[in-house]
Amino acid sequence: MTVEAHKETLDFQAEVSQVLNLMIRSLYSNKEIFLRELISNASDAAEKLRFEALTDEALFEDDPEPKIRVAFDKEKRTVTISDNGIGMNRQEVTDTIGTIANSGTKQFIEALTGDQSKDSQLIGQFGVGFYSSFIVADKVTLITRRAGLGAEHGVSWESDGKGTYTLETVDKPTRGTDVILHLNEDESEFLESYRLRSVINKFSDHVAMPIEMLKEVYPAPPGEESEEAEQETKDAAPEYEVVNKGAALWMRPKSEISDEEYADFYKHVSHDFEEPLAHAHNRVEGTNEYSSLLYIPKRAPFDLWDRDQKHGIKLYVRRVFIMDEADKLMPHYLRFVKGIVDSDDLPLNVSREILQHSRKIDSIRTANIKRILSLLEKMAKKEPEKYTEFWGQFGQVMKEGPGEDMANKELVSGLLRFASTHNEGDEQTTSLDAYIERMKEGQDKIYYITADSMPAARHSPHLEVFRKKGIEVLLMVDRVDEWLVSHLMEYKGKKIQSVAKGELDLGELEDQEEKKVHEEVAKEHAGLIERLKNVLGDDVVKEVRVSSRLTDSPACLVVEDNDMSANLERLLKSVGQEAPSTKPIMEINVDHPLVTYLDNEPDEERFADLSKVLFDQALLAEGGQLKDPAGFVSRLNGIMLQFAKQ
């Protein structure tokens, strides 16, 4: 770093350089979006000023009307986007321009594939905003001053986007920010008024403040020119005109808003490059009056699982922007929803603390949840392919819902989708309602299995009797599934039961003769059960018993109904959390040849080795880890050698 007076030359974060290079390559075919992004930033800055000025009117200085101006200079080959918003001080410029202030940057970089089309979608999710300038410019200059500071506190930031940038203290008489783009040689199209206006009309017509450009002055017809008129034109102050409609889109009647306008507004509020999957626009009147415009994105953001990720809805009060990420307006499991709420009744000085205890906010939140869930329910019924697309992006987040939102538990549960033994593929397409419709006559439970992978779930020995009887089992392999089933005990009166917990009770699906035979078999093999229990010991197994689950495998491990599943125990330990070790119950299939051989083994040492191998195999089959892998290998090798000698 070199320092000279108040001027510094600094290096970009490595991540910034990577994002810049990728963005320029990926988004060049859609390069006009740079203007949308910069106008959106300018709009945010103006709205933040209006909010801060609610408690400090002096911030307006002598210019109380927010506006954005777009200008160009053909000789200098520049396009300038100016706002009279909140502006930035030197530290804020350093924090937001020299770095990408996003806790998910690392995940974003790791998510890049090298496939240009896929990576351009990731760029759109990242919301790079200001950096889109470098799609069309080979140098960008930003001059800004924070409202409330003197003219001498202006800051100039400049870079060619190739690794370094300069910061310099400058005089700036007016508050706000000017972004000056020094265009590449092949971007002359943006030095034409009609081109800039068409982009503004296309992407930013709805911005709820004036976007101005110099009024176009057309030359007088030949023979009508006069020196006096020409001189007046030169001496006159520049005259600006508003080039956007500037009305808050959410306040307009739905019948007057096109799908394209809805999509453009979504891109404005979300900084997403793709169109939304669906939206809900409502006006509520009565004791609590407000408007809401809520969107479901097409694609999950790369930082959806980042704990520090901000989320929520933009909150306005009587068209005045109050705050971003008003998370009180939407629950965490719907954190992917974007949009705005504009209240007529909340105070303009509303704070996050006030939001925590506001009945009006609680009422809006409740209505927001209902609208989004109803929108998804309608999509699932009438547009199943679109819902499948939604589920592929946000399904795991929705699985947080039953544990988080008790008031809408049944409705959220009906929207869940799972993989199932009813289908061959791994896609999560089975709803709980569809499962219930396919239940066997006499079946009173919804059965599921959790595992750490789809092959482990499909090939689990716990499923053997269910396959034999044609009973469907839901296959749950997402990490969040363990959280889900700990809160989702039943659905529409049907108990939701793990196939790997408790003694198997198939109710009316198992006839009395089968139960009687099972009891008799258990008595016949009491001696074998006792021998196995003694060999394995109380510190390894809680119990050994004859299984009614198994048809093909020699053994499996289960836990009691109220115990933590082995899969959940492994998940918790994998992320460094303490988890109580649950002793499993070992179930054996007495009809299996290996168990028959074991029952007839007179040599106690050999019986012990075979028993321990049998237990370890059952542990491996359910995805567990051996406490003594070397001992397992040694015992297995010994058994193989003995059989080889016979």
Side-chain angles (χ1 to χ4, degrees):
M1 179 183 78
T2 61
V3 180
E4 179 184 314
H6 290 291
K7 185 173 183 179
E8 299 175 287
T9 300
L10 302 159
D11 292 328
F12 277 125
Q13 284 182 322
E15 291 93 339
V16 175
S17 296
Q18 284 180 270
V19 171
L20 282 174
N21 291 333
L22 172 63
M23 181 180 55
I24 292 167
R25 291 198 315 271
S26 300
L27 300 183
Y28 187 75
S29 60
N30 194 22
K31 57 189 175 183
E32 61 188 14
I33 55 90
F34 81 90
L35 190 54
R36 181 193 76 196
E37 292 295 295
L38 295 179
I39 287 176
S40 184
N41 288 348
S43 171
D44 288 347
E47 289 179 326
K48 287 172 183 174
L49 173 68
R50 285 202 295 194
F51 177 61
E52 291 195 19
L54 292 173
T55 53
D56 185 3
E57 287 191 7
L59 292 175
F60 279 135
E61 300 173 8
D62 58 352
D63 187 12
E65 297 299 325
K67 56 183 172 289
I68 301 165
R69 282 182 173 170
V70 177
F72 62 95
D73 187 319
K74 288 190 175 183
E75 291 185 8
K76 295 181 180 178
R77 294 187 58 78
T78 60
V79 172
T80 302
I81 296 87
S82 303
D83 67 70
N84 60 350
I86 193 67
M88 291 178 281
N89 60 32
R90 192 181 184 101
Q91 188 60 50
E92 288 170 327
V93 172
T94 300
D95 291 343
T96 59
I97 306 297
T99 63
I100 291 183
N102 190 308
S103 59
T105 304
K106 184 177 179 182
Q107 296 99 300
F108 168 72
I109 296 297
E110 291 173 349
L112 299 178
T113 64
D115 182 304
Q116 185 167 318
S117 61
K118 290 181 180 178
D119 288 346
S120 65
Q121 292 170 348
L122 281 173
I123 281 284
Q125 298 163 34
F126 193 71
V128 288
F130 171 78
Y131 295 102
S132 61
S133 307
F134 289 98
I135 301 173
V136 296
D138 53 26
K139 184 172 74 172
V140 178
T141 306
L142 177 142
I143 301 172
T144 186
R145 172 171 70 79
R146 205 181 202 285
L149 298 180
E152 70 277 12
H153 291 285
V155 182
S156 174
W157 179 99
E158 189 169 271
S159 177
D160 61 5
K162 295 179 180 177
T164 64
Y165 62 94
T166 62
L167 269 180
E168 184 177 7
T169 300
V170 296
D171 279 343
K172 189 176 188 301
T174 58
R175 69 166 190 270
T177 302
D178 304 326
V179 179
I180 306 164
L181 311 182
H182 305 264
L183 298 182
N184 297 327
E185 284 300 319
D186 52 356
E187 304 301 344
S188 298
E189 63 182 287
F190 296 111
L191 296 173
E192 300 292 342
S193 177
Y194 76 89
R195 182 70 171 102
L196 294 173
R197 287 169 184 253
S198 69
V199 175
I200 292 170
N201 293 151
K202 179 179 179 181
F203 290 125
S204 307
D205 212 31
H206 55 269
V207 172
M209 63 189 61
I211 302 174
E212 300 179 344
M213 289 186 67
L214 274 174
K215 192 171 185 178
E216 294 183 312
V217 179
Y218 299 97
E224 296 184 17
E225 307 95 334
S226 71
E227 290 184 13
E228 185 178 342
E230 190 175 323
Q231 187 61 42
E232 285 180 5
T233 301
K234 289 180 181 179
D235 295 340
E239 187 176 351
Y240 288 88
E241 63 181 350
V242 177
V243 295
N244 67 317
K245 289 177 182 174
L249 181 114
W250 60 89
M251 297 303 298
R252 291 163 51 192
K254 289 189 279 189
S255 59
E256 296 179 6
I257 306 173
S258 67
D259 289 342
E260 186 177 8
E261 287 177 304
Y262 275 124
D264 288 342
F265 185 73
Y266 164 74
K267 294 173 184 177
H268 170 71
V269 295
S270 68
H271 295 280
D272 194 349
F273 284 36
E274 288 192 274
E275 294 189 354
L277 191 65
H279 72 268
H281 184 190
N282 293 277
R283 173 68 184 168
V284 176
E285 297 179 343
T287 56
N288 188 13
E289 296 196 357
Y290 64 93
S291 296
S292 66
L293 178 49
L294 307 174
Y295 292 94
I296 296 173
K298 270 189 179 178
R299 206 172 303 277
F302 67 94
D303 57 352
L304 185 65
W305 298 98
D306 184 351
R307 292 188 179 188
D308 297 325
Q309 178 238 20
K310 292 183 178 181
H311 73 281
I313 306 300
K314 287 180 181 285
L315 176 63
Y316 289 75
V317 174
R318 296 188 291 281
R319 267 62 69 206
V320 176
F321 172 75
I322 302 298
M323 68 181 70
D324 269 321
E325 288 95 29
D327 51 10
K328 184 66 176 172
L329 293 169
M330 196 65 73
H332 194 65
Y333 76 97
L334 295 179
R335 59 188 175 272
F336 53 84
V337 177
K338 305 295 182 183
I340 67 96
V341 165
D342 188 349
S343 170
D344 292 347
D345 300 323
L346 290 172
L348 282 169
N349 63 346
V350 65
S351 65
R352 291 191 184 273
E353 290 69 32
I354 291 174
L355 292 183
Q356 298 299 319
H357 308 287
S358 169
R359 289 186 178 180
K360 290 185 182 295
I361 287 293
D362 290 340
S363 173
I364 294 172
R365 173 191 171 97
T366 298
N368 283 346
I369 296 170
K370 292 286 188 185
R371 287 192 185 97
I372 290 299
L373 296 182
S374 296
L375 181 63
L376 291 172
E377 191 175 42
K378 181 179 177 182
M379 186 190 300
K381 289 178 180 177
K382 297 187 175 181
E383 300 176 283
E385 290 184 3
K386 183 183 282 191
Y387 190 77
T388 298
E389 184 181 352
F390 162 79
W391 187 260
Q393 295 294 317
F394 301 107
Q396 291 192 48
V397 185
M398 290 293 293
K399 287 179 178 180
E400 298 173 8
E404 182 183 343
D405 188 358
M406 294 301 294
N408 295 290
K409 187 173 183 177
E410 191 92 341
L411 181 53
V412 176
S413 300
L415 292 168
L416 303 180
R417 297 293 184 268
F418 305 94
S420 163
T421 56
H422 179 74
N423 302 316
E424 292 294 328
D426 297 343
E427 294 79 14
Q428 297 182 12
T429 56
T430 296
S431 68
L432 294 177
D433 288 305
Y435 181 100
I436 290 173
E437 287 178 8
R438 293 194 291 262
M439 284 172 63
K440 294 280 187 181
E441 185 177 350
Q443 183 180 345
D444 61 355
K445 297 184 182 74
I446 297 171
Y447 293 101
Y448 73 88
I449 185 170
T450 59
D452 58 6
S453 70
M454 191 57 70
R458 280 201 180 276
H459 302 142
S460 171
H462 297 102
L463 300 184
E464 290 175 2
V465 74
F466 293 90
R467 285 201 189 91
K468 179 182 177 182
K469 292 181 174 292
I471 302 171
E472 184 175 358
V473 179
L474 300 177
L475 308 174
M476 301 188 182
V477 298
D478 293 333
R479 287 195 164 205
V480 71
D481 285 331
E482 289 286 359
W483 157 269
L484 171 64
V485 295
S486 69
H487 292 86
L488 188 59
M489 308 296 187
E490 66 171 33
Y491 178 71
K492 292 188 175 179
K494 305 292 185 183
K495 183 181 177 183
I496 297 178
Q497 174 69 46
S498 169
V499 300
K501 283 190 172 187
E503 285 209 54
L504 183 63
D505 180 8
L506 296 178
E508 295 181 19
L509 298 176
E510 184 178 22
D511 61 37
Q512 293 302 313
E513 187 62 32
E514 285 179 315
K515 291 181 180 179
K516 189 182 294 185
V517 169
H518 179 73
E519 291 170 1
E520 291 174 356
V521 168
K523 289 178 183 178
E524 289 174 11
H525 292 84
L528 173 61
I529 297 296
E530 188 65 24
R531 289 177 75 190
L532 283 168
K533 187 77 167 65
N534 290 336
V535 166
L536 296 174
D538 291 337
D539 58 333
V540 175
V541 293
K542 188 173 186 177
E543 183 185 346
V544 179
R545 66 191 181 206
V546 174
S547 178
S548 58
R549 288 177 170 83
L550 302 175
T551 60
D552 301 314
S553 301
C556 70
L557 302 180
V558 299
V559 295
E560 298 284 17
D561 272 325
N562 297 321
D563 285 346
M564 179 182 293
S565 74
N567 187 55
L568 178 56
E569 184 181 328
R570 288 192 296 272
L571 282 175
L572 292 175
K573 289 180 178 179
S574 72
V575 294
Q577 292 193 30
E578 291 187 10
S581 292
T582 303
K583 287 191 293 184
I585 297 167
M586 183 176 176
E587 293 191 351
I588 58 170
N589 176 8
V590 295
D591 293 326
H592 195 281
L594 282 178
V595 177
T596 302
Y597 181 89
L598 186 67
D599 195 16
N600 295 315
E601 176 55 62
D603 187 310
E604 291 302 324
E605 184 177 347
R606 192 171 181 185
F607 178 88
D609 283 345
L610 286 167
S611 300
K612 290 174 182 177
V613 167
L614 200 63
F615 175 86
D616 286 345
Q617 285 181 332
L619 181 63
L620 290 171
E622 68 159 27
Q625 290 187 326
L626 301 179
K627 290 183 178 179
D628 181 15
F632 170 74
V633 171
S634 176
R635 283 189 289 272
L636 190 60
N637 286 343
I639 292 168
M640 291 170 68
L641 282 171
Q642 286 178 349
F643 279 106
K645 291 175 182 178
Q646 289 179 358

